[in-house]
Each structure stands twice: as structure tokens, then as C-alpha cells.
């Protein structure tokens, strides 16, 4: 994603503003119009009807001999209009609160969907996180509400300004000259907001670091390491650095925005009011061209107009600022995956072939996989073994098309993986990863990956849990598979051991149809007996299907039809267990070493 610092051009601001209007209107067609109408009614009453029309009539009634009855009738009419105006103000608040929720809900959905679809490599890219954070700022900082408020306020100000200007002109148009000082104020506000945006942008990365530390400190997954190691001091140092760096950024921009505020205060507060007062007093007392009512209303009208122009300036620059964030949102949505989806819908998987595949991670210097070639046919159970860092998990990532290789081809049923719709292909593959995840949902939901709707669903989950070997444990819970995992949202929720969680993750695979099972160290948290049982279920379940099993425990590799030994990103050896043992190469060495370890453990147990 392009994250270079760019000065937003005027046309970009217009485009971003149009985009903001489009996004908001799509989620809530009524928000901008409804809100603008209601606050226009309110502000027109406040600034024009109350401060000009009513004030003038009231002073004239009092100074020109009007009756008390006339005064009361006028007051009743004024209260009636005031009631309507306040009703409109409340209606505006209600519209803003309820309709903006719809905007955030739609944007959240769209952002989550996009985040789930972007290339996996984005998660290794800090720029992606910065852009993601800025895109979510529209929601986190409630910028849709801000944008609609400013738009409504700007339109209402423009309409009210027409009434005020026409009144001032009816008294003396020259008074408008005192308001010219507001023009540089509007320009300065626009510049001020650009500075604010730049400041926010520079702080994004620090804020992410701060968020990370704040998140990690509260996450259960990290709680043990946090308490037993010295890592907290490092995290704290990162947090403090981020805060200090933010302070430096605030300082860098603070004096500029401060100066602009002083300037703004002078041209908006002193010039128009003092100028009008002097001019008004001169007209009233010296030349006698202005009546007492006109003088009072003039001061009120100029004060209102000054506030309106001031607010309009702030609204314009605030709209610009919001539009910059909406621009971030648009950039985020516009991000195009590097991995282009193909058009072929995946059929039953009959074969997989790696043909001279070489792959280097983005930004890495050396390839992780080098010229890897082999073919797996249906009915085959294949084990991938090798030391840590040999490239086994990378092979799985390529198989699932999380990345594309730079050289060579990966073929499903003889067709390049790039030509398939990735989603349809992944749906044919059942997976269990070593870094399995269970979610703070019920066991049923964790396994079905959707809400559990009826008894048929429950039965389906039960079978899957039996296959993965965790049913007995789950059935001891009072609410069975309806029990929520983790206590994060439910006091009656429960915790599971690492191995039990991994079995729930494996049940997820068993609960869905698949042609190919890919198990990347599925037994990393299991004891040998649990592993054996799971492997047994897997063999039963996968008759006529393909299985790719990655395990550092070579005892399970023995049961495979074929074993591929990965070493330094290449396939060092392949063959059945017997063939490889006879070859007496890397595999035989690893197997003998592991077998003797097990033997030693057994001997120790027997002593
Ligand atoms: P294995 O599963 O065999 O233990 P991996 O496939 O996970 O090994 O990793 C193989 C090597 O690829 C690692 O030693 C590391 O150098 C490199 N690697 C893994 N993931 C990444 C990544 N996201 N970015 C850069 N290099 C990586």
C-alpha cells in the first residue's frame, strides 16, 4: 500500500469529500439531509429570528409606545417558534445518534471483510497496519458524526448568513468591511487542520505501538510470559518511547497551531466587534444616522455573523480534515491484492504437483524453498518431515495460496493454482495448524464456524468432537458443547488445556467436507496417545482422500504412503519409511535419534 507522505491537493480534498458523502449516504440516505434540515431550522431561529428579528421588534415596541398586549402577543409567537426550533435541535441530535450508528456498522462490516480478504503478506507489513489503523480512525474517532455535523452546520450557517447580511446592509453595508478580517482566519483554519492531520499521521505508528502494548498486557495468551520473564520491562520501554515520540511530535506542531489560534482569536474577536462598536457609536451619537434599536440589533447581528463565519471556517476545515480520513478509508478499500483470484471453481482434488517451485518471502534475501518438485495423488497419505526452519510450513502456505512462488508452478488437478477462485479451492481443504486458535464462542460455534441452529447441528458437532478425541471432556461440562470457551464474555465459560483446544480445532476440520487434509503439526500440543487416536480417526475419515501431514514426530510418518524430507528449503529425500530407512540418510538418522529418545524415556519410566 502506498503510504508516502503526500500533500493533499484541492482536487483530492473535493474527491475525498464527495467520497465521504457517498459512503455516508449509502449507509444512511437520510442522515445528511435530515440532520442538515433540522439544525438549519434551529440555527436560523437562534441567530436570525431571535437575535435580529425579535430583538428589533421588541426594542421598537418598547421605545415606540407599543402596548403591553402587543408585547405579550409577540412574546407568545416567539416562544412558539422557539419551541419548534428546539424540537428540531433535539430531532437533529436523535438523527445524528441513530443514523451514524448505521454508518459505523456498515463501515465496520466493510473494513472487517476487506481485512479478511487482503493478501496474507499484508500482515507482515507495518505500512498495512498504519493504513488499517487510519482507515478505522473514521469509526474510532466518530468522524461520520463530525462530518455530518459540520456539513449541517455549514449549510445552516450559509442560510442564516444571508438573513444577517441583508439586515446589516439595510443599516449600512460598510459595516461588512469589519468582517473581511475573517477571510485570513478561514485560510489559517484550513492550514491548521492540515497540520493536525500531518501530526496525527506522524503519530499513527507510535499509537499502534502503544495500542499493541496496551493490548498485550491484557491478553491471556501473553499473561504467563509477562509474569515470569523480564519482557515487561522491554514492552514498557517501547510504550514510553512511543509516548515520548508522540510528545515530540505534538511539540513540533504545537507552537504553529498555537500561533494560528492567537491570530484567529484576534481577527475574529477584536476586529469585527470593536470596529462595529466604534462605527455604531459614531453613527448613533455623532452623525445620528442609526437608531437605538438599529444600534443594539446591529451589534447582535455582527456578533452572530462573526460567529457564523467563524463556525463556517471551522466547519470547512473540519470537513477537509474528515475527508482526509475518508480518503484513507478509500485507499484502504482500493488496495488490490497482489494475488489475483482466478476464475475456475475448484472441483474434487485428484492431484497436487509442485513443479520446480522456488519461493522467497517479501523482503527476504534468500529463498525459503528452492526448486521443490513432487506430485501427490488422491488416496495418498504424505508426511512432510524436517528440522525446524526447513520450510515445511512455508510449503503449506504456498499450498493454500497465501503466497505465490516466484519461480515454478503449483498445480491442482494439472491446473495452475493461480487459475482457481482461491475461496472455492480452500473450501476443499481441511486444515489444522500448530498455532491453532479457539475463539471466545461456544464449542458448537467453534466447530461449526457458524451459529448452532438445531439438534442436527449438535449431533454433527458431537461426531466431530468424537473423531478428534475431545468429546468425553466436553460432555462433562454442564452445558456440554454449548459451553463458551474462555471466560472473557461469560462467567460460566471454561478454559481448556492446549491439547484440548487443539482437538477442538481438529474437530472443526472433521465437521466440514474436504478432499485434502493439511495438518501442520496438528499434534504439537497432544500427548502421544492422543496423537495416535487423532491419527487413527484421520485415516478412517480420509479413505479416498489426500492427506498431507507435517509432524516433527516421525512415529506418525511411519504410517504414511510417502515421506518427503525437507532440508534447507529443498526436498532432500523421499520414499516410504522402509525405503528411507534402507537408504540410511537424513531420515534414518532423525528416526533413529527420536526412537532412541523415546526408548530412553521408556527406560527411565521403567526404572
Ligand atoms: P518449518 O515449518 O520447517 O519449521 P518455516 O517454513 O516456518 O519452517 O520457515 C522456514 C524459514 O523461512 C524460516 O527459517 C525463516 O527464515 C523463513 N521465514 C518463515 N516465515 C517468514 C516470513 N514471514 N518472512 C520471512 N522469512 C520467513
Amino acid at each position: 500500500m502506498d503510504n508516502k507522505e503526500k500533500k493533499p491537493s484541492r482536487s483530492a480534498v473535493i474527491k475525498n469529500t464527495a467520497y465521504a458523502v457517498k459512503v455516508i449516504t449509502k449507509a444512511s440516505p437520510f442522515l445528511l439531509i435530515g440532520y442538515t434540515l433540522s439544525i438549519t431550522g434551529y440555527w436560523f431561529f437562534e441567530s436570525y429570528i431571535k437575535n435580529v428579528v425579535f430583538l428589533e421588534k421588541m426594542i421598537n415596541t418598547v421605545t415606540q409606545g407599543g402596548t403591553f398586549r402587543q408585547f405579550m402577543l409577540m412574546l407568545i409567537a416567539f416562544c412558539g417558534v422557539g419551541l419548534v426550533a428546539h424540537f428540531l435541535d433535539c430531532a437533529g441530535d436523535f438523527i445524528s445518534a441513530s443514523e451514524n450508528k448505521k454508518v459505523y456498522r456498515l463501515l465496520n462490516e466493510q473494513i472487517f471483510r476487506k481485512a479478511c480478504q487482503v493478501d496474507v503478506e499484508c500482515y507482515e507489513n507495518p505500512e498495512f497496519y498504519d493504513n488499517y489503523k487510519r482507515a478505522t480512525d473514521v469509526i474510532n474517532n466518530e468522524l461520520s458524526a463530525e462530518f455530518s455535523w459540520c456539513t449541517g452546520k455549514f449549510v445552516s450557517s450559509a442560510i442564516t448568513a444571508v438573513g444577517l447580511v441583508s439586515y446589516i446592509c439595510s443599516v449600512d453595508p460598510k459595516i461588512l468591511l469589519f468582517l473581511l478580517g475573517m477571510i485570513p482566519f478561514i485560510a489559517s483554519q484550513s492550514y491548521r487542520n492540515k497540520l493536525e492531520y500531518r501530526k496525527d499521521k506522524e503519530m499513527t505508528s507510535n499509537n499502534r505501538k502503544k495500542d499493541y502494548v496496551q493490548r498485550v498486557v491484557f491478553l491471556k495468551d501473553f499473561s504467563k510470559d509477562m509474569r515470569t520473564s523480564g519482557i515487561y520491562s522491554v514492552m514498557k520501554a517501547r510504550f514510553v518511547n512511543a509516548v515520548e515520540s508522540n510528545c515530540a511530535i505534538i511539540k513540533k506542531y504545537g507552537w504553529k497551531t498555537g500561533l494560528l489560534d492567537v491570530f484567529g482569536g484576534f481577527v475574529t474577536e477584536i476586529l469585527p466587534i470593536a470596529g462595529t462598536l466604534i462605527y455604531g457609536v459614531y453613527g448613533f451619537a455623532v452623525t445620528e444616522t442609526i437608531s437605538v434599536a438599529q444600534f443594539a440589533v446591529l451589534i447582535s447581528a455582527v456578533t452572530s455573523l462573526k460567529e457564523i463565519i467563524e463556525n463556517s471556517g471551522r466547519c470547512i476545515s473540519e470537513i477537509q480534515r474528515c475527508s482526509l480520513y475518508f480518503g484513507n478509508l478509500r485507499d484502504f478499500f482500493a488496495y488490490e491484492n497482489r494475488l489475483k483470484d482466478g476464475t475456475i471453481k475448484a472441483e474434487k482434488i485428484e492431484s497436487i504437483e509442485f513443479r520446480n517451485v522456488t519461493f522467497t518471502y517479501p523482503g527476504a534475501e534468500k529463498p525459503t524453498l528452492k526448486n521443490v518438485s513432487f506430485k501427490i495423488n488422491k488416496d495418498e497419505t504424505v508426511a512432510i518431515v524436517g528440522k525446524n526452519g526447513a520450510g515445511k510450513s512455508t510449503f503449506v502456505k504456498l499450498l493454500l495460496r497465501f503466497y505465490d512462488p516466484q519461480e515454478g508452478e503449483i498445480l491442482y488437478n494439472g491446473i495452475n493454482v493461480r487459475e482457481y477462485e482461491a475461496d472455492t479451492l480452500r473450501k476443499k481443504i481441511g486444515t489444522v495448524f500448530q498455532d491453532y486458535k479457539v475463539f471466545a464462542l461456544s464449542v458448537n460455534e467453534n466447530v461449526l464456524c457458524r451459529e448452532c441452529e438445531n439438534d442436527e447441528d449438535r449431533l454433527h458437532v458431537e461426531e466431530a468432537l468424537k473423531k478428534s478425541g475431545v468429546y468425553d471432556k466436553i460432555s462433562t461440562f454442564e452445558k456440554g458443547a454449548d459451553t463458551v470457551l474462555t471466560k472473557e464474555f461469560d462467567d460460566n465459560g471454561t478454559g481448556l488445556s492446549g491439547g484440548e483446544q487443539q482437538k477442538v480445532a481438529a474437530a472443526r476440520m472433521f465437521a466440514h467436507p474436504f478432499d485434502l487434509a493439511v495438518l501442520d503439526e496438528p499434534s504439537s500440543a497432544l500427548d502421544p496417545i492422543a496423537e495416535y487416536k487423532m491419527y487413527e480417526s484421520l485415516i478412517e475419515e480420509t479413505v479416498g482422500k489426500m492427506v498431507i501431514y507435517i509432524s516433527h514426530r516421525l512415529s506418525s510418518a511411519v504410517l504414511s504412503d510417502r515421506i518427503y524430507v525437507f532440508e534447507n528449503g529443498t526436498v532432500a529425500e523421499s520414499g516410504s519409511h522402509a525405503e528411507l530407512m534402507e537408504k540410511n540418510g537424513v531420515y534414518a538418522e532423525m528416526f533413529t535419534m527420536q526412537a532412541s529418545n523415546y526408548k530412553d524415556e521408556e527406560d527411565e519410566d521403567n526404572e
Side-chain angles (χ1 to χ4, degrees):
M1 245 178 245
D2 185 11
N3 191 36
K4 288 192 189 90
E5 178 70 47
K6 282 183 273 184
K7 191 171 177 251
S9 65
R10 189 151 294 138
S11 69
V13 171
I14 292 169
K15 273 189 202 152
N16 291 340
T17 308
Y19 178 73
V21 171
K22 195 172 126 196
V23 166
I24 293 172
T25 312
K26 191 174 166 206
S28 165
F30 182 60
L31 173 58
L32 288 176
I33 293 176
Y35 188 60
T36 302
L37 284 177
S38 58
I39 65 170
T40 299
Y42 174 72
W43 282 108
F44 190 74
F45 169 81
E46 275 293 306
S47 303
Y48 184 67
I49 306 285
K50 189 169 115 185
N51 289 351
V52 174
V53 179
F54 179 73
L55 184 67
E56 186 178 36
K57 287 213 177 309
M58 197 181 67
I59 297 175
N60 280 340
T61 308
V62 174
T63 56
Q64 290 170 13
T67 63
F68 184 69
R69 190 167 171 273
Q70 279 173 328
F71 177 76
M72 283 310 288
L73 282 177
M74 218 168 56
L75 195 64
I76 290 167
F78 171 77
C79 289
V81 178
L83 205 65
V84 174
H86 281 279
F87 171 77
L88 286 175
D89 188 34
C90 293
D93 287 347
F94 178 74
I95 292 169
S96 172
S98 58
E99 296 299 302
N100 272 306
K101 289 273 174 293
K102 291 185 190 167
V103 178
Y104 300 133
R105 194 185 64 202
L106 184 77
L107 286 181
N108 261 325
E109 276 170 24
Q110 290 177 340
I111 290 175
F112 292 163
R113 200 180 318 134
K114 183 74 183 174
C116 291
Q117 285 168 350
V118 293
D119 291 328
V120 170
E121 70 168 80
C122 288
Y123 289 96
E124 288 164 23
N125 181 350
E127 274 180 19
F128 167 80
Y129 279 107
D130 284 351
N131 281 319
Y132 178 72
K133 171 102 180 54
R134 282 200 290 271
T136 53
D137 277 346
V138 170
I139 297 165
N140 299 338
N141 299 344
E142 304 206 342
L143 293 183
S144 162
E146 185 71 10
F147 184 87
S148 43
W149 189 86
C150 288
T151 312
K153 190 84 176 76
F154 180 72
V155 174
S156 68
S157 298
I159 292 171
T160 313
V162 174
L164 294 172
V165 168
S166 58
Y167 178 81
I168 293 170
C169 286
S170 74
V171 179
D172 190 341
K174 285 196 278 308
I175 294 168
L176 288 177
L177 290 176
F178 295 118
L179 291 157
L180 284 182
M182 306 293 285
I183 293 170
F185 164 74
I186 293 172
S188 75
Q189 280 299 303
S190 171
Y191 180 59
R192 189 188 189 286
N193 269 352
K194 276 180 197 155
L195 289 179
E196 287 284 346
Y197 175 77
R198 258 182 242 165
K199 184 184 82 184
D200 285 357
K201 199 167 181 179
E202 278 181 38
M203 285 165 55
T204 305
S205 167
N206 292 325
N207 287 338
R208 269 204 315 107
K209 283 179 197 154
K210 267 172 41 196
D211 290 351
Y212 177 74
V213 177
Q214 276 163 339
R215 199 169 70 233
V216 159
V217 166
F218 287 105
L219 279 182
K220 190 180 164 205
D221 285 357
F222 297 87
S223 57
K224 287 195 283 269
D225 292 277
M226 283 293 221
R227 279 156 185 74
T228 54
S229 69
I231 199 82
Y232 171 69
S233 60
V234 186
M235 300 296 274
K236 198 177 113 190
R238 285 285 142 80
F239 187 84
V240 171
N241 274 349
V243 172
E244 279 173 3
S245 171
N246 271 352
C247 289
I249 295 169
I250 290 170
K251 222 187 235 172
K252 181 170 115 188
Y253 288 99
W255 69 268
K256 288 186 194 168
T257 49
L259 277 183
L260 286 171
D261 288 344
V262 173
F263 170 74
F266 178 74
V267 292
T268 59
E269 292 297 330
I270 314 285
L271 270 185
I273 305 298
T276 310
L277 268 175
I278 295 166
Y279 194 82
V281 169
Y282 186 77
F284 174 66
V286 182
T287 59
E288 295 183 6
T289 48
I290 295 176
S291 69
V292 66
Q294 278 177 327
F295 178 68
V297 176
L298 199 57
I299 296 296
S300 172
V302 169
T303 309
S304 291
L305 190 58
K306 171 202 88 87
E307 274 167 14
I308 279 176
I309 297 174
E310 208 175 339
N311 282 333
S312 302
R314 291 213 172 95
C315 286
I316 291 174
S317 50
E318 197 54 25
I319 288 171
Q320 276 179 9
R321 191 178 77 89
C322 292
S323 75
L324 290 170
Y325 284 92
F326 274 90
N328 289 146
L329 191 71
R330 190 180 48 183
D331 290 348
F332 177 72
F333 286 139
Y335 170 76
E336 285 197 22
N337 280 357
R338 278 210 245 180
L339 268 62
K340 299 281 175 237
D341 224 9
T343 52
I344 300 176
K345 290 201 186 327
E347 303 280 336
K348 185 170 172 23
I349 300 174
E350 305 272 347
S351 70
I352 295 171
E353 185 177 355
F354 268 53
R355 207 180 271 171
N356 305 323
V357 169
T358 296
F359 172 71
T360 310
Y361 277 103
E365 283 174 9
K366 289 186 189 155
T368 295
L369 293 186
K370 289 165 258 175
N371 204 22
V372 172
S373 295
F374 56 78
K375 187 170 179 185
I376 308 170
N377 292 310
K378 70 169 181 177
D379 288 346
E380 273 190 310
T381 301
V382 165
I384 309 279
V385 301
K387 294 179 193 153
N388 285 343
K392 304 183 296 295
S393 295
T394 305
F395 157 77
V396 171
K397 288 182 202 164
L398 293 184
L399 197 68
L400 293 168
R401 206 179 170 221
F402 290 153
Y403 295 91
D404 275 338
Q406 287 82 12
E407 287 171 38
E409 284 182 300
I410 297 166
L411 308 162
Y412 277 83
N413 299 348
I415 299 172
N416 195 314
V417 67
R418 295 171 197 240
E419 292 182 36
Y420 286 101
E421 278 179 8
D423 259 3
T424 64
L425 190 66
R426 286 183 196 139
K427 281 202 177 113
K428 304 261 168 206
I429 307 175
T431 47
V432 186
F433 298 107
Q434 54 182 320
D435 49 351
Y436 55 86
K437 292 280 174 276
V438 295
F439 300 90
L441 301 168
S442 73
V443 176
N444 279 324
E445 287 162 334
N446 262 288
V447 173
L448 287 170
C449 299
R450 61 176 167 79
E451 285 180 359
C452 180
E453 285 164 4
N454 48 39
D455 287 345
E456 206 181 316
D457 282 347
R458 285 177 218 287
L459 211 62
H460 190 55
V461 173
E462 194 177 304
E463 280 168 22
L465 293 171
K466 281 181 182 160
K467 283 175 192 162
S468 68
V470 73
Y471 177 70
D472 287 347
K473 174 74 187 179
I474 302 293
S475 55
T476 62
F477 300 147
E478 203 183 319
K479 288 165 88 182
D482 282 319
T483 308
V484 172
L485 297 182
T486 82
K487 286 185 185 285
E488 196 161 337
F489 302 112
D490 188 345
D491 280 347
N492 299 319
T494 188
L496 289 176
S497 74
E500 287 158 353
Q501 288 184 31
Q502 194 159 31
K503 286 178 192 169
V504 171
R508 197 177 292 150
M509 182 190 78
F510 285 122
H512 295 90
F514 59 85
D515 295 341
L516 161 66
V518 178
L519 300 105
D520 186 359
E521 302 276 10
S523 50
S524 56
L526 301 187
D527 59 68
I529 298 171
E531 180 183 8
Y532 181 77
K533 279 191 186 157
M534 191 196 281
Y535 203 82
E536 237 182 10
S537 296
L538 190 68
I539 302 284
E540 270 173 35
E541 267 304 292
T542 52
V543 178
K545 293 176 181 172
M546 210 182 283
V547 179
I548 299 177
Y549 195 87
I550 297 175
S551 177
H552 63 279
R553 287 205 189 117
L554 299 189
S555 49
S556 32
V558 177
L559 301 170
S560 322
D561 301 317
R562 178 165 283 273
I563 299 162
Y564 290 96
V565 185
F566 273 52
E567 200 173 42
N568 295 327
T570 58
V571 179
E573 286 175 4
S574 71
S576 67
H577 171 70
E579 285 165 358
L580 291 177
M581 287 307 282
E582 198 177 323
K583 202 171 174 190
N584 205 18
V586 192
Y587 177 81
E589 189 191 341
M590 281 166 66
F591 190 84
T592 319
M593 203 181 289
Q594 280 198 3
S596 71
N597 281 346
Y598 277 125
K599 198 164 172 305
D600 290 348
E601 277 173 26
E602 266 173 36
D603 292 346
E604 273 170 31
D605 289 345
N606 292 337
E607 273 169 19

